[in-house]
């Protein structure tokens, strides 16, 4: 029988990573009476602004991670590009959910897709690329068009290139190898670049995947508790712009059959990997109707922001429930909801401070700002959600609110 460790209010939750996901997790934890300790190198990080305590240290600082685990009753992480070795250090001193093993699988695209296919679920055809000689074999085996990606550290569309010929694939290989550490690291990642290196060649490991002609991008967040029970949040429809999540629509505008299949995939992967916490599964709905797994994220997810206003239990509260051994909350949709991201570009487009009041004049709209001190192009600064009687009206409201926010009427 699995032992469930129930934490009483007043217990401490440790969070590795101080970004917006950690911020919203900390706010949910504080609302439920728990204390929060954040580990992040930025003393003014978004999560640190609302936490009870912060350890200011780099993510690869194993001693700091151990200190966090000793001071907290349970530890989690809010993005997967943290240093897995430091997470293992935290495990030596305390309890970490999800485990470092889950983290190592999800932060490496070859291991990730291999685990998905071993679990019996479908992905786009793929092949590991460890040296330049592998590129031709990958193109021949997997086919064209394709996507060449760094195996680790890519995010928001960075560290990858779509190719339509062998010559393009070879050029992309050289470009990705020529970048520092093989890819532009996540701006909050500070782990050693050597983890990306192939031990035999010194080259950065890549993955080559067949390009998927998809009709929709979908995601499902699965919560798995300490006893192994799972619940899945409603399937969400996502739209990306320049590789960055732009819009999330919930529930997704797909058939019940597709939504049920996507939920079953997410639950199956969480069970197979032994996740205790949240597992977000990003998927493609291919033109032929197949649902293909694209990426995994063992944490709260940007495509789940909508759950704060639109779901009976938000993804953040759900994670707190799992970490603290509490019953899983209901995940039915309260109201159709749409989330739109607010990037640093919005501040530039507004020519200064955006028009917060104008955005909130749109019915059903809520505003979330993350507390980041500098607005840069492509940087997630906040989001807007809109609720309505149906998804199309919610989408219209959300886009109108963003237009008003950026003063682009």
């Amino acid at each position: 029988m699995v032992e469930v460790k129930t934490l009483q209010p007043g217990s401490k939750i440790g969070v590795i990573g101080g970004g917006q996901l950690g911020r919203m997790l900390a706010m949910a934890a504080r609302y439920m009476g728990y204390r929060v300790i954040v580990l992040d190198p930025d003393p003014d990080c978004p999560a640190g602004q609302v936490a009870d305590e912060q350890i200011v240290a780099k993510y690869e600082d194993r001693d700091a991670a151990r200190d966090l685990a000793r001071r907290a009753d349970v530890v989690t992480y809010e993005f997967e590009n943290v240093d897995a070795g430091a997470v293992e250090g935290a495990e030596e001193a305390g309890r970490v959910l999800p485990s470092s093993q889950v983290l190592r699988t999800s932060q490496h695209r070859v291991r990730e897709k291999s685990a998905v296919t071993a679990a019996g679920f479908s992905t786009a055809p793929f092949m590991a690329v460890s040296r330049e000689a592998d590129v031709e074999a990958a193109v021949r085996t997997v086919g064209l068009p394709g996507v060449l990606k760094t195996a680790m550290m890519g995010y928001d569309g960075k560290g990858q290139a779509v190719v339509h010929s062998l010559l393009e694939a070879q050029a992309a290989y050289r470009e990705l190898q020529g970048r520092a550490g093989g890819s532009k690291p996540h701006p909050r990642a500070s782990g050693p670049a050597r983890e990306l290196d192939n031990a035999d060649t010194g080259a950065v490991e890549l993955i080559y995947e067949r390009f998927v002609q998809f009709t929709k991008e979908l995601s499902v967040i699965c919560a798995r508790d300490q006893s192994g029970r799972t619940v899945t949040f409603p399937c969400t429809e996502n739209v990306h712009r320049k590789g960055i999540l732009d819009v999330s629509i919930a529930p997704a505008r797909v058939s019940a059959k597709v939504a049920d299949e996507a939920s079953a995939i997410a639950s199956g992967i969480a069970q197979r990997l032994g996740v205790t916490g949240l597992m977000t599964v990003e998927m493609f709905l291919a033109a032929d109707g197949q649902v293909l797994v694209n990426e995994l994220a063992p944490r709260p997810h940007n495509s789940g922001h909508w759950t704060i206003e639109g779901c009976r239990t938000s993804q953040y509260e759900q994670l707190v429930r799992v970490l603290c051994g509490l019953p899983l909350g209901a995940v039915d949709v309260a109201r159709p909801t749409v989330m739109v991201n607010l990037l640093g570009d919005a501040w530039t487009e507004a020519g200064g401070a955006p028009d917060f009041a104008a955005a909130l004049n749109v019915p059903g709209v809520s505003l979330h700002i993350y507390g980041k001190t500098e607005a840069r192009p492509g940087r997630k600064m906040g989001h807007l959600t809109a609720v309505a009687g149906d998804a199309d009206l919610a989408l219209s409201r959300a886009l109108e609110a963003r237009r008003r926010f950026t003063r682009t009427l």
Side-chain angles (χ1 to χ4, degrees), residues 214 216-220 236-240 245-249 252 282-283 301-304 306 339:
F214 60 85
K216 289 186 186 293
E217 294 177 274
L218 307 174
S219 62
V220 173
T236 302
E237 177 184 347
N238 302 310
V239 178
H240 288 76
L245 180 64
D246 188 47
V247 178
S248 291
I249 303 165
E282 297 180 48
M283 293 166 261
H301 198 258
N302 289 339
S303 68
W306 70 270
M339 183 280 300

Side-chain angles (χ1 to χ4, degrees), residues 234-383:
C235 183
T236 302
E237 177 184 347
N238 302 310
V239 178
H240 288 76
R241 182 170 61 176
K242 297 180 180 179
I244 302 173
L245 180 64
D246 188 47
V247 178
S248 291
I249 303 165
R253 298 170 298 180
V254 296
S255 68
K257 178 176 180 294
V258 168
D260 289 345
E261 182 179 356
S263 293
I265 290 170
S267 180
I269 291 172
Q271 292 279 18
R272 179 62 180 263
L273 295 184
V275 173
T276 303
L278 300 186
M279 171 60 75
T280 305
V281 182
E282 297 180 48
M283 293 166 261
F284 295 126
L285 177 59
D288 63 2
Q290 270 194 298
V291 179
L292 302 175
V293 175
N294 182 36
E295 291 185 358
L296 308 179
R299 54 166 173 83
H301 198 258
N302 289 339
S303 68
H305 289 333
W306 70 270
T307 60
I308 296 173
E309 282 82 25
C311 204
R312 299 297 178 189
T313 306
S314 77
Q315 63 168 340
Y316 305 102
E317 178 184 336
Q318 196 77 287
L319 180 53
V320 174
R321 286 170 175 253
V322 173
L323 295 174
C324 298
L326 303 174
L328 293 170
V331 292
D332 49 310
V333 175
R335 294 163 293 183
T337 308
V338 170
M339 183 280 300
V340 293
N341 257 325
L342 300 174
L343 303 182
D345 312 66
W347 276 249
T348 303
E349 292 170 14
D355 195 335
F356 296 87
L360 290 173
N361 267 327
V362 178
V365 168
S366 298
L367 173 67
H368 298 260
I369 297 296
Y370 303 151
K372 297 179 181 180
T373 55
E374 182 184 358
R376 298 192 301 266
R379 191 182 196 193
K380 299 183 182 79
M381 300 297 295
H383 70 266

Side-chain angles (χ1 to χ4, degrees), residues 173-180 182:
Y173 176 90
R174 291 189 290 270
E175 180 184 355
L176 291 171
Q177 291 292 340
R179 295 178 182 177

Side-chain angles (χ1 to χ4, degrees), residues 33 66 121 134 153 172 174 186 227 252 272 276 304 320 338 393 400 406:
R66 288 194 192 96
F121 302 107
D134 295 336
M153 301 297 280
R174 291 189 290 270
H186 191 287
S227 298
R272 179 62 180 263
T276 303
V320 174
V338 170
L393 178 56
E400 173 64 18
T406 57

